[in-house]
Amino acid sequence: MNRTIIDCNANLGSWPFRRTSYNTPEDLLERIGRVGITQAWVTSLDAVVLKNVAAANAPLAEAVAEHDALRAVGTVNPSWPQWERDVAECAELGMIGVRVNPNYQAWLPTDPIFGELLSAAGELGLFVELTVRMTDERHHHPLMMVPPVALGGLLDLCARHQETTIMVANANNAQVLGVARDAAGPLPERLYFEMSHIESVGGVQAVADQIGVEHLLFGTHAPYYYPEAATLKVFDECDFSEAELEALTHGNAEGLLAAR
Amino acid sequence: MSAHGSIIDCHVHPTAARGDGPAACAAEMLRYADRMGIEWQGLSLGPVFIQQPTEDEIVADNDFIAEMIELHPDRFFGYANLNPNLLFHSLREIDERIANGPFVGIKLWVALCCNHANVDAICERAAELRAPILQHTFFRAGGNLAGESSPADVAALASRHPEVTFIAAHAGLNWERGIRAVADQPNVCVDTCGFDPEAGFTEMAVQWLGAERVLYGSDAAGRSFASQLAKVHGADISDDDKRLILSGNMRRVLAL
Ligand SMILES: [Zn+2]
């Protein structure tokens, strides 16, 4: 079956704590193509631990330039001087969004700088990816144990920045459902969660039932994760309707891009 | 072969599944297992995870699993959950649950590190009954819990009980270290379960241990069957190796 599947959470480059395979554009596309994924939004693994994170942006844009199936998501650190220039550069480079890693960049989403970044990105038509973790905290390097990003305050930010699309990446069931519980009703229209870290038997469906499938994006965290995890969860373990599958695998992602 | 495939999931906790009681829980676990081609589920630790269970809590937990097995003896097998701090009770549970059936193995979680002499006594009885021991193992960042075992602890224990098959669950979570820790101890297998579907795990396990010592497990229902199956289906290893990991090895361990 020729279904469009957009992986909203893929990576290129090197992760300092483990060798990864399939981390060039060609290899990544071949690898995720094996499970039927046709397009991917990619961030730079290197940028997570670079001090000057913006140094990874132009190389990432260049790496994906020849691949229509790949779209680049830049990395910014709003706690550094001149971050506005980095956001502007991401837009000029044709990137679709900017990713932040507050836990690796040593700031909190409740800090005023995040609100400033949301405004700046929204004005330039970039979505903001809030990545809550990169790997399981329980096996971090003993000299670099990084706690996950807490999502308290996220709904307030959404309310104050309705012009900006936010994608939360690598959040687990408890984190996603915690936000849904706080919302006590429909989630903000432009708030999305990516599903690579949703676990438990039938968990993706259970989370979709709670937050609304229209807020869920297909993602693999490949090549750091085996991409089969995402496809097996969505297509085999869960029992989504065809309409839900269309939304989850590409409709929501396309809508997100169109609405920026 | 029946409609559901022939995969054996060596590590399942019927906990987070929706549905109360053994019958509803069993139906829910089987519904998803059928979708994933999983024929057999090795059960332990029922509705409640208790780090330091009392005798009564152990009995209630094992009773819950026993009921599920009784309902579906062709789909579930069981590991008797023990608290090795309660040694006499543990030995009695082994006699009542394994010697008399229907349980086939032993589950040890985090009540007592397996470097303790009480666990040696449990292993001696396990050897007589040819019961495999599924031991939770972590190399936890920042240090293990007080009663938590590491793969190195299991390897040392296994060297004293070469006739027992040990399953180092989660390969220690910090799997690059965990695989190395058990590599020289041939009666220790690792399972694939209970951690994120991190690429490279299965390839390294097969390279260091041989496919014969790698067992598919999920840690469902807290984990997804699917995300953990991905570690096998998605690994760059041979189809023969995948078949061993998905069922052949566990058939050998259980002498099916
Ligand atoms: Zn477990």
Side-chain angles (χ1 to χ4, degrees), chain B residues 13 15 44-62 81-86 107-112 136 145 147:
Chain B
H13 309 296
T15 46
S44 65
L45 281 173
V48 190
F49 275 75
I50 300 168
Q51 292 191 10
Q52 201 59 253
T54 63
E55 293 186 5
D56 286 349
E57 286 164 341
I58 286 281
V59 168
D61 190 43
N62 288 333
N81 178 26
L82 306 178
N83 179 346
N85 284 305
L86 310 171
K107 166 71 180 188
L108 300 176
W109 195 37
V110 296
L112 181 67
H136 164 96
L145 308 174

Side-chain angles (χ1 to χ4, degrees), chain B residues 205-222:
Chain B
V206 168
Q207 184 187 350
W208 279 72
L209 310 178
E212 294 77 9
R213 289 170 57 194
V214 184
L215 306 171
Y216 163 67
S218 63
D219 230 1

